[in-house]
Amino acid sequence: MSLDAEICRRLPLADATLHLLDFLVGADFLADVFERNRGRCYERVISFPDLVHLLSDALLLNGQSAHRSIQQARADGTLTSSCKAVYDKIARMPINLSAAMLIESSVRLRELLPPSYAEPVPTSLAAFTLLAFDGKKIKDVAHRLKATRSVRGQVLGGKILVAEDILTGLAVAMEAHLDGEASDLVLLPGLLTRVRGVLDGPRLWVADRLFCDLTHLPLLQAEGDRFVIRHQSKVKFHCDPETPVRTGTNARGQSFTEEWGWLGFPKDKRRLKVRRITVHRPGEEDVAVVTDLLDSQLYPPSDILDIYLRRWGIERLFQKITEVFHLQALVSAREKGTVFQAALCLLLYNLTVVIRAHVAAGARRESETVSMEKLFGDVCRQLTSVVEVLGPPVVVAYYADVQWTAAGLRTYLADVLGRTWRDWWIKSKPRKPSPPTPTKYLVGGHSSVYRIVRGQHRTVPERKRKAKATRRPSKQ
């Protein structure tokens, strides 16, 4: 066995990730995606695959530093363009191309999951493709542009609307808008079209109350799809007096009320027949969920409430791509560039979901008990080791020689990752927040740990901050 092969064998997470990246974002695949979705964008010196690989290196290897990845590529001779040319190329990336890259890569990744991999869902809803969706503003754009240097406050990049497959946890599609202040509702028709193009129905859409209106709910019902949406009070619910109201208790011991009726006034042609399930939470706001799954025997209220709670998975997805996959460290200060980075962060998130699934299957653990953050940290560490020891040209040549089929790569991942379990990847148990500790101010403003531990310090009660005086409104 050669030295290169032995090094890769001893770093299984890096080995699996590099094979996945070669299969997922190979030059031929990315070139095809670019040609079909490029619009007026073009390639001259910097190719689309090169751009994806540069930004991937920045997120995986160089601590979010795109500049360092570009400088390394220039030093290795794989990039002849200037740093400014690369940044300008990222800033001009069409949002349709970014969305297509995520969608088509997620389709390829679904084939690589373990055959038995799926999150448990209620049996009554197993016939549906379960999808949760929500929107996210891309925040923390640096004030690099001349137009933004003169303003204070938070500057937003683009807006994305993402659909997550509840069964697998993969981000299957996204729709984007260049204006970060745009409404999620504007993006909904495009997202539905993209998802329906790659996932078979019938689909069950799960979303928060923003999407509960008589204009957009019919869109969710197209092609035989159904919905479970949190009820929004501005859309009036009119109870059916001929159908008796039922009550019950959910898995958490909370009482709920089940009603049948309509959303919208009787004269409104868009009026919808729905079932509303309201969970009563003393001391907190009640949670009301509406669905067009009207049969309470076929679709028990406990199953409807359970699947709505699973909507929280997309909130965790957004947290992960921001904190773990570095969406908070934006490479570009232009709106198109922020959407491109968001798509790539979602792609890396999906890749890590596949790695975690095989690691968990090999250890015979549920994937939810494996920390994605801890696992991704070790993936980055091993990748850095491989690249530093062997060098980028050797790594590229070593992994480009293997041509995988989906079935062959899935078997390889199960073999390599199934034997890599480490106990430090176990997800920490959630802890209840501790009540705030009352504090006092140190006399003089400082003291030492030595004195504080031994009670030899002096304190005075903290002064209450005075409320700022409100200015009288101008008469002009």
Side-chain angles (χ1 to χ4, degrees):
M1 182 181 291
S2 66
L3 177 62
D4 298 349
E6 178 62 19
I7 291 173
C8 294
R9 187 188 68 81
R10 291 178 178 235
L11 298 170
L13 292 178
D15 182 54
T17 302
L18 289 168
H19 279 301
L20 270 171
L21 285 171
D22 183 63
F23 177 82
L24 189 63
V25 290
D28 294 340
F29 168 72
L30 290 177
D32 180 58
V33 172
F34 176 82
E35 190 60 33
R36 289 185 285 106
N37 300 277
R38 66 185 180 88
R40 298 180 64 184
C41 187
Y42 61 88
E43 292 177 322
R44 183 172 295 170
V45 178
I46 307 172
S47 68
F48 179 62
D50 289 343
L51 208 60
V52 172
H53 296 155
L54 277 173
L55 196 49
S56 299
D57 287 346
L59 298 175
L60 289 168
L61 302 177
N62 292 325
Q64 313 117 61
S65 174
H67 186 76
R68 181 173 175 181
S69 295
I70 295 169
Q71 294 287 14
Q72 286 182 343
R74 285 170 56 84
D76 295 336
T78 56
L79 179 68
T80 57
S81 301
S82 65
C83 290
K84 183 179 184 301
V86 176
Y87 285 118
D88 289 345
K89 193 78 171 180
I90 293 173
R92 295 192 300 268
M93 193 59 56
I95 58 176
N96 186 55
L97 178 57
S98 300
M101 178 184 68
L102 172 66
I103 294 168
E104 299 194 26
S105 63
S106 68
V107 172
R108 292 164 71 90
L109 270 176
R110 289 175 69 88
E111 304 177 56
L112 303 180
L113 288 166
S116 59
Y117 177 75
E119 296 297 325
V121 296
T123 306
S124 64
L125 304 175
F128 293 98
T129 300
L130 305 172
L131 296 158
F133 62 93
D134 204 356
K136 176 176 176 56
K137 300 175 182 179
I138 303 176
K139 304 176 182 178
D140 302 321
V141 177
H143 296 225
R144 298 193 190 103
L145 299 178
K146 186 176 181 180
T148 59
R149 292 175 197 164
S150 59
V151 299
R152 298 186 66 180
Q154 187 178 77
V155 177
L156 303 177
K159 163 70 75 69
I160 57 174
L161 185 66
V162 180
E164 179 205 27
D165 185 350
I166 293 177
L167 279 175
T168 62
L170 294 175
V172 295
M174 83 173 194
E175 185 71 4
H177 196 287
L178 295 180
D179 182 6
E181 299 282 10
S183 171
D184 296 348
L185 298 174
V186 176
L187 302 174
L188 183 58
L191 180 72
L192 298 180
T193 301
R194 291 186 186 276
V195 174
R196 285 168 177 153
V198 295
L199 291 182
D200 296 330
R203 292 159 285 263
L204 180 65
W205 302 96
V206 185
D208 207 1
R209 71 180 98 193
L210 173 65
F211 302 93
C212 180
D213 66 63
L214 297 176
T215 301
H216 296 89
L217 287 179
L219 299 179
L220 301 178
Q221 293 180 309
E223 299 186 13
D225 293 354
R226 302 299 185 90
F227 62 80
V228 174
I229 305 280
R230 187 169 179 179
H231 182 225
Q232 184 171 201
S233 58
K234 75 175 185 179
V235 182
K236 299 301 181 183
F237 175 80
H238 301 273
C239 188
D240 183 1
E242 298 181 0
T243 307
V245 177
R246 299 181 182 179
T247 58
T249 306
N250 64 9
R252 299 186 175 187
Q254 298 166 317
S255 63
F256 66 82
T257 304
E258 186 178 17
E259 307 165 277
W260 284 261
W262 293 269
L263 290 178
F265 293 99
K267 294 183 180 180
D268 195 333
K269 295 180 179 180
R270 302 171 299 169
R271 199 182 195 201
L272 285 177
K273 183 69 178 288
V274 296
R275 174 165 55 130
R276 184 172 74 168
I277 306 168
T278 305
V279 178
H280 305 287
R281 304 188 299 173
E284 298 181 69
E285 181 186 5
D286 292 345
V287 176
V289 176
V290 294
T291 178
D292 57 349
L293 298 172
L294 302 178
D295 193 332
S296 184
Q297 299 296 324
L298 191 58
Y299 307 106
S302 58
D303 291 355
I304 300 297
L305 294 174
D306 178 63
I307 207 63
Y308 178 74
L309 287 176
R310 300 287 292 278
R311 191 202 68 83
W312 191 249
I314 197 165
E315 301 291 351
R316 293 199 300 266
L317 183 153
F318 287 149
Q319 180 190 16
K320 291 289 186 280
I321 66 168
T322 301
E323 298 177 359
V324 179
F325 298 93
H326 313 309
L327 188 57
Q328 84 280 19
L330 293 169
V331 170
S332 177
R334 296 305 299 259
E335 55 276 21
K336 290 182 180 179
T338 63
V339 172
F340 178 55
Q341 184 172 343
L344 195 55
C345 288
L346 287 166
L347 188 153
L348 294 178
Y349 171 88
N350 285 346
L351 183 145
T352 310
V353 167
V354 173
I355 292 175
R356 183 179 67 167
H358 283 284
V359 168
R364 298 182 179 180
R365 302 182 64 92
E366 293 183 4
S367 61
E368 281 299 315
T369 65
V370 182
S371 169
M372 183 173 286
E373 182 175 3
K374 296 174 183 177
L375 183 62
F376 184 72
D378 278 359
V379 167
C380 295
R381 182 176 57 83
Q382 291 194 16
L383 282 171
T384 303
S385 302
V386 168
V387 173
E388 290 294 329
V389 173
L390 299 181
V394 175
V395 172
V396 171
Y398 181 82
Y399 285 95
D401 289 341
V402 183
Q403 299 297 323
W404 289 107
T405 63
L409 181 55
R410 184 173 63 243
T411 303
Y412 181 81
L413 293 175
D415 179 54
V416 172
L417 297 175
R419 298 178 278 107
T420 63
W421 174 253
R422 301 291 184 270
D423 287 340
W424 56 76
W425 293 338
I426 297 175
K427 184 184 291 186
S428 302
K429 294 181 179 179
R431 293 180 294 181
K432 293 182 179 180
S434 303
T437 303
T439 58
K440 294 182 179 181
Y441 194 77
L442 288 168
V443 173
H446 60 84
S447 186
S448 65
V449 174
Y450 179 89
R451 293 189 178 189
I452 294 173
V453 170
R454 289 163 177 78
Q456 298 174 5
H457 63 294
R458 292 187 299 151
T459 60
V460 293
E462 287 193 67
R463 296 178 181 177
K464 293 184 179 180
R465 295 183 179 180
K466 294 182 179 179
K468 292 184 179 179
T470 56
R471 294 183 179 180
R472 295 179 63 184
S474 173
K475 294 182 180 179
Q476 297 180 354

